[in-house]
Amino acid sequence: MKLHKRLKLAITLLIAMLPYMACANDSIRIAKRDSILSEITGAQMPQKSLKILSFGAKGDGKKDCKPAFDKAMKRASQMGGARIIVPSGEYLLNGPIHFVSNVCLELQEGATLKFSPDPHYYLPVVKTSWEGTFLQNYSPFIYGYQLKNISITGKGTIDGNAGTTFATWKSQQKKGQQLSRDMNHKEVPIEERNFGEGFYLRPQLIQFFDCKNITIEGVFITNAPFWCIHLLKSENIICRNIRYDAKLVNNDGIDPEYTRNLLIENIEFNNGDDNIAIKCGRDNDGWSTNRPSENIIIRNCKFKGLHGVVLGSEMSSGVQNIFIENCTYGGYCKRGIYMKTNPDRGGFLRNIYVNNCQFGEVEDLFYVTSMYAGEGMDNNHYSEVCNIYVKDISCKKASAAAIVLQGTLAKPIHHVTFENVNVDKAGIGLSFSNTETISIKNCNLGGYVGIPSTASQKDNLFNKDK
């Protein structure tokens, strides 16, 4: 009897504490976010400077300036670091820029880096990754491997100029795509995963691989061959004030993968695919790498494109500690926030915080699925999806659904909180399957219902059966 009374008292106290726990969650979130922010500094900027024109570059859009950039990078390395200044003009590059440590590439207002669309210029192959699989492929147009203190700044433009070649390759990539996945599953040594010519796997526009202390700020990005910015196995990064008009095939804006301590802020997206797609390796490569994408803060951004923020579907090493806050929209997004995995992936999505975000018209506002693309349903690498906190988000119209959670029987989605979610119009308000411990507070999905009407003669109750 005493045990029963104690249990009853404990339950009563817990219920009484729930409002205070909700407030404490905000405090915990803010403290956790600010702790991560305190670790993010970006690149240390070099004091010395070099002028790209001194190395033979000419901003006439005709002369190949790749040799000049190669010479400038080599000289900067010899100096222990430098700021490479690119003044107004159009600089043709017949091949990639390969960074060295301690370099800032400063693209001044009016400066454009315009890359050749000829694929042959991006050979020989380099160590890279493609859709979550490590391999060797065409060089990204701007590339850095195992570097520190690297930055791209200024109000200039980076033009991938890929519309006539790389943008046409998607229909031919299946052979290379499938081979890369087979090599991943068979754990073929990476030095034997050689792609490039004949496989049609498009390179990224900018990729920093296994790098530390990175800043990308201010530039305008357009016409990428594939993903625009790929941050692979890197850490301590600031992406700020970047502007996009990148609508070629799979022109994701920013793709962090196996990356930690990243601040993305004040970005104006306008992309032909995901604005931000947080990834963490595919299948065997992800499990063996065992390094989650974590501690990522996204704030004060304007979304426009396919999806606003995506987590997955390549996320086999896991994704955690993601903060999305104070964001709005610059145009249409198919989905606002989209988390996707399936029983092929494994890994986890956890500790996700979405606060104070507004969207216009979308297909789905908030969509979480453990059955992405209907793949892997006969597999058993289930993903853990939990600890998701959504507060103060709104949307004018969700034509398909406002909130969707799709777990699996083996691993239901659990511990998800929605508070103050308001959608003016929605095809479906809520669709939950295989979920546990879901909390909904002060949400209006499909409009707000006011004071109920009272009975009147207008109801014509007694003639309804006639």
Side-chain angles (χ1 to χ4, degrees), residues 60 131 138 208 225 251 329 354-355 405 408 422 427 440:
D60 61 359
E131 287 193 345
Y138 290 99
F208 293 131
N251 274 195
Y329 62 96
V354 183
N355 293 83
L405 301 179
T408 60
N422 292 289
I440 301 175

Side-chain angles (χ1 to χ4, degrees), residues 130-131 173-181 199 201:
W130 203 85
E131 287 193 345
Q173 75 185 22
K174 190 65 179 178
K175 172 188 170 184
Q177 180 187 57
Q178 190 57 55
L179 179 60
S180 73
R181 294 177 181 180
F199 291 99
L201 301 185

Side-chain angles (χ1 to χ4, degrees), residues 275-319:
N275 291 180
I276 300 169
I278 302 173
K279 302 174 179 293
C280 209
R282 186 181 188 92
D283 306 346
N284 297 60
D285 276 8
W287 305 327
S288 61
T289 302
N290 193 26
R291 170 177 164 156
S293 286
E294 60 185 348
N295 304 344
I296 297 173
I297 297 164
I298 301 163
R299 65 185 185 185
N300 303 324
C301 293
K302 283 189 175 181
F303 299 126
K304 183 179 180 182
L306 182 63
H307 303 127
V309 180
V310 176
L311 280 63
S313 68
E314 303 95 337
M315 40 65 69
S316 297
S317 248
V319 175

Side-chain angles (χ1 to χ4, degrees), residues 364 366-369 401-406 413 418 429-432:
D364 306 293
F366 193 91
Y367 201 122
V368 184
T369 181
I403 301 175
V404 180
L405 301 179
Q406 298 172 338
I413 295 170
F418 296 99
L430 294 174
S431 178
F432 293 171

Side-chain angles (χ1 to χ4, degrees), residues 2 5 45 60 124 189 225 246 249 324 331-332 345 378 384 391 411 413 437 441-442 444 460-461:
K2 288 182 179 180
K5 288 182 178 179
M45 295 297 172
D60 61 359
V249 181
I324 306 165
Y332 178 79
R345 294 288 95 84
D378 57 348
E384 181 84 5
K391 184 178 180 182
K411 279 200 173 179
I413 295 170
T437 321
K441 180 180 178 182
N442 296 335
N444 296 282
N460 199 22
L461 294 177

